[in-house]
Amino acid sequence: MNKQTQTPKARKGVYIKFTLLMIASALTGAFISIFLRGQEGGVQGVVRQISDGLILAGPWLLAQGLVPCAVAHGLYRSGLKAAARADEDDDAFETANRRLGLSLVFSTVVMPWIMLTICLALPSVDVLANNAFVVAVVPLLVVELAWSYGLQAMVVRATQRLAPEKRGNVFDIRFQKDWYASCDEAERQRIGECAYHTYITMTSIYPFTLLVALLAVMYGGASVLWALLLGGLWLTQTLSYLLRAYKLEHGKSRVKEGFEQ
């Protein structure tokens, strides 16, 4: 018998676990609502204090983006040294490829970090108008953006020297498509596995973040736009995945792949 085939008893257990999970989630939400009911003022005060603290820390948090830039730069230089010996040493090739890959990781995370912390740093300009560090927010932003994107471009060029079949320019809006088109089947499979892992991770995170947003709207005085934003992102991700999956299985892409094979 196929081990993957579930027996009626096993399926019944799955249904029971799912039902218990839904009941536990509903009870948890109900208990939280009961606990917070009548404490809106206190909750709003705590939320306001946290918000003000994050705003005041915004410029310092933005400045932390220089750390991954520096780490990425060091890895890039180390990767170049290893790449210089790649033609005659397979270990040097692997070392260069690994260090350049890590450099790309550190330089790429800078952009979302900047977008997150700039939302905190810019409001602090009004709160701390006389603070010299706050005045430097915009130049700091420019430095981090230029450094991170410059590093990404250099890492991609160095990787293309190691693997000449790679195509794409970081500053081209088609970069990801061009790079993916130049990947072999093994690399595309890894990309697909990473994309699936990301999808599963975010699908697990969105419900909890929306629950927090719901509580923040109900008891913390937060704007409904935050819940709308999170729900819109979750809906966009779900539709993007489902529509693409349907098109690959039933649409023109499936026919096209059949001809290519």
Side-chain angles (χ1 to χ4, degrees):
M1 184 179 66
N2 190 342
K3 294 183 179 179
Q4 294 181 350
T5 302
Q6 289 185 330
T7 64
K9 184 178 180 180
R11 289 197 297 269
K12 184 178 179 180
V14 170
Y15 299 146
I16 292 175
K17 290 179 182 178
F18 178 80
T19 302
L20 292 175
L21 178 61
M22 292 297 100
I23 294 174
S25 300
L27 289 175
T28 301
F31 285 137
I32 292 175
S33 298
I34 293 172
F35 175 77
L36 294 178
R37 190 176 300 277
Q39 303 184 39
E40 289 85 350
V43 173
Q44 290 178 10
V46 172
V47 171
R48 193 177 302 110
Q49 289 179 358
I50 295 175
S51 178
D52 292 343
L54 288 172
I55 288 175
L56 293 176
W60 297 99
L61 292 174
L62 176 63
Q64 300 309 307
L66 295 172
V67 175
C69 285
V71 174
H73 202 123
L75 287 167
Y76 166 72
R77 293 178 63 87
S78 178
L80 285 185
K81 292 180 180 179
R85 310 188 308 274
D87 290 337
E88 63 271 4
D89 188 348
D90 291 339
D91 290 337
F93 177 89
E94 292 298 330
T95 299
N97 197 33
R98 182 174 63 255
R99 291 176 182 174
L100 290 174
L102 283 174
S103 178
L104 191 62
V105 169
F106 278 97
S107 58
T108 301
V109 299
V110 175
M111 183 60 180
W113 179 258
I114 288 175
M115 297 304 296
L116 172 64
T117 55
I118 198 63
C119 295
L120 305 173
L122 288 182
S124 66
V125 174
D126 296 328
V127 178
L128 300 173
N130 297 324
N131 192 312
F133 185 74
V134 174
V135 177
V137 163
V138 174
L140 180 63
L141 172 66
V142 172
V143 168
E144 290 187 15
L145 283 174
W147 197 358
S148 62
Y149 270 103
L151 276 172
Q152 290 177 51
M154 291 187 294
V155 168
V156 167
R157 285 197 294 269
T159 303
Q160 288 171 335
R161 287 194 292 270
L162 284 176
E165 71 276 5
K166 297 296 184 185
R167 297 288 181 266
N169 187 323
V170 170
F171 300 103
D172 187 350
I173 60 175
R174 290 182 49 85
F175 168 68
Q176 293 180 337
K177 292 182 178 180
D178 292 340
W179 187 269
Y180 182 79
S182 65
C183 291
D184 58 27
E185 290 300 320
E187 291 171 320
R188 292 188 181 189
Q189 182 177 358
R190 286 197 298 270
I191 293 172
E193 291 178 358
C194 293
Y196 177 73
H197 175 75
T198 302
Y199 174 80
I200 294 299
T201 300
M202 296 308 300
T203 301
S204 303
I205 290 175
Y206 274 127
F208 295 101
T209 55
L210 274 172
L211 175 60
V212 172
L214 174 62
L215 295 174
V217 170
M218 293 177 61
Y219 304 105
S223 172
V224 295
L225 293 178
W226 291 110
L228 181 64
L229 176 63
L230 287 171
L233 290 173
W234 189 8
L235 185 60
T236 300
Q237 174 191 273
T238 302
L239 287 175
S240 176
Y241 179 90
L242 294 176
L243 293 176
R244 183 59 178 173
Y246 181 86
K247 183 177 180 180
L248 288 174
E249 184 174 359
H250 304 288
K252 296 180 180 179
S253 297
R254 182 171 181 266
V255 177
K256 183 177 180 181
E257 288 176 358
F259 282 119
E260 290 177 349
Q261 293 176 354

mmCIF file of all heavy atoms in Angstrom, residues 32-49:
data_model
loop_
_atom_site.group_PDB
_atom_site.id
_atom_site.type_symbol
_atom_site.label_atom_id
_atom_site.label_comp_id
_atom_site.label_asym_id
_atom_site.label_seq_id
_atom_site.Cartn_x
_atom_site.Cartn_y
_atom_site.Cartn_z
ATOM 1 N N ILE A 32 -8.643 37.430 24.284
ATOM 2 C CA ILE A 32 -7.893 38.676 24.116
ATOM 3 C C ILE A 32 -8.848 39.867 24.058
ATOM 4 O O ILE A 32 -8.608 40.911 24.663
ATOM 5 C CB ILE A 32 -7.024 38.604 22.835
ATOM 6 C CG1 ILE A 32 -5.911 37.571 23.008
ATOM 7 C CG2 ILE A 32 -6.413 39.972 22.527
ATOM 8 C CD1 ILE A 32 -5.085 37.347 21.763
ATOM 9 N N SER A 33 -9.947 39.696 23.314
ATOM 10 C CA SER A 33 -10.933 40.779 23.214
ATOM 11 C C SER A 33 -11.542 41.099 24.570
ATOM 12 O O SER A 33 -11.716 42.273 24.931
ATOM 13 C CB SER A 33 -12.034 40.385 22.219
ATOM 14 O OG SER A 33 -11.502 40.200 20.926
ATOM 15 N N ILE A 34 -11.867 40.057 25.343
ATOM 16 C CA ILE A 34 -12.434 40.278 26.676
ATOM 17 C C ILE A 34 -11.433 40.989 27.583
ATOM 18 O O ILE A 34 -11.774 41.902 28.340
ATOM 19 C CB ILE A 34 -12.871 38.931 27.290
ATOM 20 C CG1 ILE A 34 -14.043 38.345 26.499
ATOM 21 C CG2 ILE A 34 -13.246 39.095 28.756
ATOM 22 C CD1 ILE A 34 -14.415 36.938 26.914
ATOM 23 N N PHE A 35 -10.165 40.569 27.485
ATOM 24 C CA PHE A 35 -9.134 41.166 28.324
ATOM 25 C C PHE A 35 -8.920 42.648 27.991
ATOM 26 O O PHE A 35 -8.712 43.480 28.881
ATOM 27 C CB PHE A 35 -7.821 40.399 28.160
ATOM 28 C CG PHE A 35 -6.667 40.997 28.896
ATOM 29 C CD1 PHE A 35 -6.543 40.832 30.265
ATOM 30 C CD2 PHE A 35 -5.702 41.736 28.219
ATOM 31 C CE1 PHE A 35 -5.473 41.391 30.956
ATOM 32 C CE2 PHE A 35 -4.632 42.295 28.902
ATOM 33 C CZ PHE A 35 -4.514 42.121 30.274
ATOM 34 N N LEU A 36 -8.987 42.978 26.692
ATOM 35 C CA LEU A 36 -8.710 44.345 26.266
ATOM 36 C C LEU A 36 -9.932 45.249 26.335
ATOM 37 O O LEU A 36 -9.788 46.476 26.319
ATOM 38 C CB LEU A 36 -8.169 44.342 24.831
ATOM 39 C CG LEU A 36 -6.801 43.676 24.620
ATOM 40 C CD1 LEU A 36 -6.424 43.709 23.154
ATOM 41 C CD2 LEU A 36 -5.726 44.354 25.458
ATOM 42 N N ARG A 37 -11.105 44.662 26.425
ATOM 43 C CA ARG A 37 -12.327 45.463 26.446
ATOM 44 C C ARG A 37 -12.340 46.372 27.686
ATOM 45 O O ARG A 37 -12.113 45.936 28.803
ATOM 46 C CB ARG A 37 -13.559 44.571 26.449
ATOM 47 C CG ARG A 37 -14.873 45.342 26.236
ATOM 48 C CD ARG A 37 -16.039 44.370 26.142
ATOM 49 N NE ARG A 37 -15.870 43.437 25.040
ATOM 50 C CZ ARG A 37 -16.188 43.720 23.783
ATOM 51 N NH1 ARG A 37 -16.662 44.923 23.473
ATOM 52 N NH2 ARG A 37 -16.013 42.815 22.837
ATOM 53 N N GLY A 38 -12.603 47.626 27.438
ATOM 54 C CA GLY A 38 -12.628 48.599 28.523
ATOM 55 C C GLY A 38 -11.260 49.171 28.850
ATOM 56 O O GLY A 38 -11.138 50.032 29.725
ATOM 57 N N GLN A 39 -10.203 48.672 28.183
ATOM 58 C CA GLN A 39 -8.853 49.165 28.445
ATOM 59 C C GLN A 39 -8.282 49.892 27.237
ATOM 60 O O GLN A 39 -7.070 49.984 27.074
ATOM 61 C CB GLN A 39 -7.934 47.998 28.831
ATOM 62 C CG GLN A 39 -8.418 47.193 30.024
ATOM 63 C CD GLN A 39 -7.431 46.124 30.426
ATOM 64 O OE1 GLN A 39 -6.220 46.343 30.396
ATOM 65 N NE2 GLN A 39 -7.925 44.962 30.814
ATOM 66 N N GLU A 40 -9.175 50.408 26.391
ATOM 67 C CA GLU A 40 -8.730 51.055 25.166
ATOM 68 C C GLU A 40 -7.761 52.201 25.443
ATOM 69 O O GLU A 40 -6.762 52.376 24.746
ATOM 70 C CB GLU A 40 -9.929 51.568 24.363
ATOM 71 C CG GLU A 40 -10.771 50.486 23.717
ATOM 72 C CD GLU A 40 -11.819 49.924 24.665
ATOM 73 O OE1 GLU A 40 -11.761 50.253 25.860
ATOM 74 O OE2 GLU A 40 -12.692 49.174 24.202
ATOM 75 N N GLY A 41 -8.061 52.970 26.481
ATOM 76 C CA GLY A 41 -7.197 54.109 26.793
ATOM 77 C C GLY A 41 -5.793 53.685 27.155
ATOM 78 O O GLY A 41 -4.809 54.252 26.678
ATOM 79 N N GLY A 42 -5.698 52.641 28.002
ATOM 80 C CA GLY A 42 -4.375 52.156 28.383
ATOM 81 C C GLY A 42 -3.620 51.561 27.225
ATOM 82 O O GLY A 42 -2.411 51.780 27.062
ATOM 83 N N VAL A 43 -4.338 50.794 26.392
ATOM 84 C CA VAL A 43 -3.690 50.182 25.230
ATOM 85 C C VAL A 43 -3.208 51.250 24.265
ATOM 86 O O VAL A 43 -2.091 51.185 23.739
ATOM 87 C CB VAL A 43 -4.662 49.214 24.530
ATOM 88 C CG1 VAL A 43 -4.049 48.699 23.233
ATOM 89 C CG2 VAL A 43 -5.020 48.057 25.444
ATOM 90 N N GLN A 44 -4.038 52.265 24.040
ATOM 91 C CA GLN A 44 -3.641 53.348 23.142
ATOM 92 C C GLN A 44 -2.427 54.087 23.676
ATOM 93 O O GLN A 44 -1.560 54.509 22.912
ATOM 94 C CB GLN A 44 -4.810 54.312 22.944
ATOM 95 C CG GLN A 44 -5.954 53.725 22.134
ATOM 96 C CD GLN A 44 -7.112 54.687 21.995
ATOM 97 O OE1 GLN A 44 -7.006 55.857 22.350
ATOM 98 N NE2 GLN A 44 -8.240 54.194 21.480
ATOM 99 N N GLY A 45 -2.356 54.228 24.994
ATOM 100 C CA GLY A 45 -1.189 54.886 25.590
ATOM 101 C C GLY A 45 0.082 54.093 25.367
ATOM 102 O O GLY A 45 1.128 54.651 25.035
ATOM 103 N N VAL A 46 -0.017 52.774 25.542
ATOM 104 C CA VAL A 46 1.152 51.921 25.323
ATOM 105 C C VAL A 46 1.578 51.962 23.858
ATOM 106 O O VAL A 46 2.770 52.075 23.541
ATOM 107 C CB VAL A 46 0.838 50.474 25.756
ATOM 108 C CG1 VAL A 46 1.975 49.543 25.351
ATOM 109 C CG2 VAL A 46 0.610 50.391 27.253
ATOM 110 N N VAL A 47 0.577 51.873 22.957
ATOM 111 C CA VAL A 47 0.876 51.928 21.525
ATOM 112 C C VAL A 47 1.540 53.248 21.163
ATOM 113 O O VAL A 47 2.501 53.299 20.390
ATOM 114 C CB VAL A 47 -0.406 51.729 20.700
ATOM 115 C CG1 VAL A 47 -0.139 51.997 19.223
ATOM 116 C CG2 VAL A 47 -0.945 50.313 20.891
ATOM 117 N N ARG A 48 1.044 54.345 21.754
ATOM 118 C CA ARG A 48 1.612 55.671 21.470
ATOM 119 C C ARG A 48 3.049 55.765 21.970
ATOM 120 O O ARG A 48 3.920 56.325 21.297
ATOM 121 C CB ARG A 48 0.752 56.753 22.123
ATOM 122 C CG ARG A 48 1.072 58.169 21.642
ATOM 123 C CD ARG A 48 0.148 59.190 22.269
ATOM 124 N NE ARG A 48 -1.249 58.887 21.969
ATOM 125 C CZ ARG A 48 -2.115 58.457 22.880
ATOM 126 N NH1 ARG A 48 -1.747 58.258 24.142
ATOM 127 N NH2 ARG A 48 -3.367 58.205 22.529
ATOM 128 N N GLN A 49 3.321 55.207 23.141
ATOM 129 C CA GLN A 49 4.687 55.243 23.676
ATOM 130 C C GLN A 49 5.642 54.441 22.793
ATOM 131 O O GLN A 49 6.771 54.878 22.516
ATOM 132 C CB GLN A 49 4.702 54.691 25.098
ATOM 133 C CG GLN A 49 4.045 55.602 26.129
ATOM 134 C CD GLN A 49 4.070 54.998 27.520
ATOM 135 O OE1 GLN A 49 4.550 53.886 27.720
ATOM 136 N NE2 GLN A 49 3.548 55.743 28.490
#
